[in-house]
Amino acid sequence: RFTNKAYEDWFDAKVEGRRIGQVLGEAAYEKVSKYIDKALSGETVNYETTIPYSSGERFVNATYVPDFGAAGQVKGFFALVQDITERRQTEEELRKWADAFEGCAHGIAIGDPATHRIVVCNSAFANMLNRSADEIIGSAILSIYAPADHEHVRQNIEKADQIGHVRYEAHMVRRDGSVIPVQMDLVSVLGDDGEIMYRVATAQDISERKQAEAALVDSITQFRTLFEA
C-alpha cells in the first residue's frame, strides 16, 4: 500500500500496488509468510533471519505490527525491516576471534597501557599460572613476574612501545609461589592517532626447553671431563 524511499532503494523500483511475493521474490516470501500470517491474525511479530531476496541474500531484523480498523479488524500490517547483514558479519567475525583467543594453546593476555594492568586473558594463560582468569584480570602486569625480572620486563615493555614488538624471556610466579621460565612476545597496538591502545602478550612455558638445554650442557661438561681425563 505504501513504502518509504529506503524500501524502494532496496529493490530499486516502485513497489506500491504489487504483491509482496512479486517484490520480495517467491523464495523470500515463502520464508516470511508464516510471520505475515501471524501479523494478519492480529499478532505483533519480531524476528531475525536470513532472507533470500531476489536482489541478494540479507540478514534482517523485522517487526510486523498489525493495522487495526475502527471495528477491531486487521486491515493489514506495518513492516519495519532493518538490514543488519554487516552487523551480523561483524558479530560472526568477532565470535571467530573470540574462539581463537580462548582456544589458543599459548597463553594470551591484553594489558592496559594507562593502568599497566591485565584487562583480559585466555584460559591457557591462567592455567599456566595455576590461577583462574578472574584472579588474573585486574592484576598489575609486573605482579605476575618474579621480582628479580621486574626491571627486565619494564625495559622490554618500553621497547615494545617504541618499535611495536619484542620477544624476551622472563620468569612468572604461580599461585603456589613456584617460578616458571616463559618466552614472551609482546605487541604494542597503536590507534589511528598513534597512541598505544593496548598491549598483547603471548606467553609460552619453556620449562621443558630449559631442562633440555641444561641436560645438554651437563652432557657436554661430562664429555669434556672424560675426554680431558
Side-chain angles (χ1 to χ4, degrees):
R1 290 157 53 184
F2 63 88
T3 65
N4 65 357
K5 186 176 184 303
Y7 198 87
E8 293 176 355
D9 290 344
W10 270 25
F11 300 99
D12 195 27
K14 293 285 186 180
V15 298
E16 291 181 19
R18 296 171 60 189
R19 288 184 171 275
I20 297 175
Q22 293 174 324
V23 176
L24 304 185
E26 290 304 321
Y29 179 70
E30 182 178 349
K31 190 157 188 178
V32 303
S33 59
K34 60 184 177 182
Y35 303 115
I36 291 175
D37 290 342
K38 288 183 179 180
L40 292 177
S41 69
E43 180 181 344
T44 296
V45 182
N46 177 264
Y47 64 89
E48 289 187 357
T49 190
T50 301
I51 305 294
Y53 291 112
S54 54
S55 58
E57 190 173 85
R58 295 173 181 162
F59 192 85
V60 302
N61 177 291
T63 300
Y64 295 164
V65 180
D67 179 18
F68 293 99
Q73 79 282 14
V74 178
K75 300 189 299 179
F77 66 95
F78 298 96
L80 311 174
V81 187
Q82 182 181 11
D83 183 352
I84 58 172
T85 304
E86 290 187 7
R87 190 189 82 185
R88 179 75 169 187
Q89 291 171 341
T90 299
E91 290 174 349
E92 290 179 351
E93 189 69 19
L94 289 173
R95 190 175 298 112
K96 290 177 183 177
W97 280 109
D99 290 343
F101 175 81
E102 185 56 32
C104 183
H106 297 318
I108 303 175
I110 298 177
D112 179 3
T115 62
H116 301 290
R117 294 184 178 276
I118 297 170
V119 295
V120 66
C121 71
N122 66 355
S123 295
F125 192 92
N127 292 338
M128 190 166 56
L129 299 179
N130 287 339
R131 303 180 189 180
S132 68
D134 288 341
E135 288 179 281
I136 295 172
I137 293 171
S139 299
I141 292 170
L142 289 179
S143 70
I144 64 174
Y145 290 97
D149 284 342
H150 283 189
E151 185 57 31
H152 172 61
V153 172
R154 189 181 292 111
Q155 289 175 358
N156 277 282
I157 290 174
E158 292 176 356
K159 188 175 179 181
D161 290 348
Q162 293 169 0
I163 65 176
H165 169 254
V166 294
R167 175 174 292 175
Y168 61 94
E169 293 182 6
H171 296 82
M172 284 185 172
V173 181
R174 288 176 164 170
R175 175 192 283 169
D176 61 4
S178 61
V179 175
I180 57 169
V182 293
Q183 177 179 289
M184 304 297 298
D185 282 271
L186 182 64
V187 177
S188 295
V189 180
L190 304 181
D192 294 337
D193 58 359
E195 295 295 320
I196 300 169
M197 296 192 300
Y198 50 88
R199 302 186 185 102
V200 181
T202 304
Q204 296 182 57
D205 181 348
I206 56 174
S207 298
E208 291 185 2
R209 192 184 85 189
K210 289 297 184 181
Q211 291 169 0
E213 290 174 353
L216 180 60
V217 170
D218 288 344
S219 296
I220 293 173
T221 301
Q222 292 175 11
F223 177 77
R224 284 177 175 172
T225 300
L226 291 173
F227 182 78
E228 292 172 355

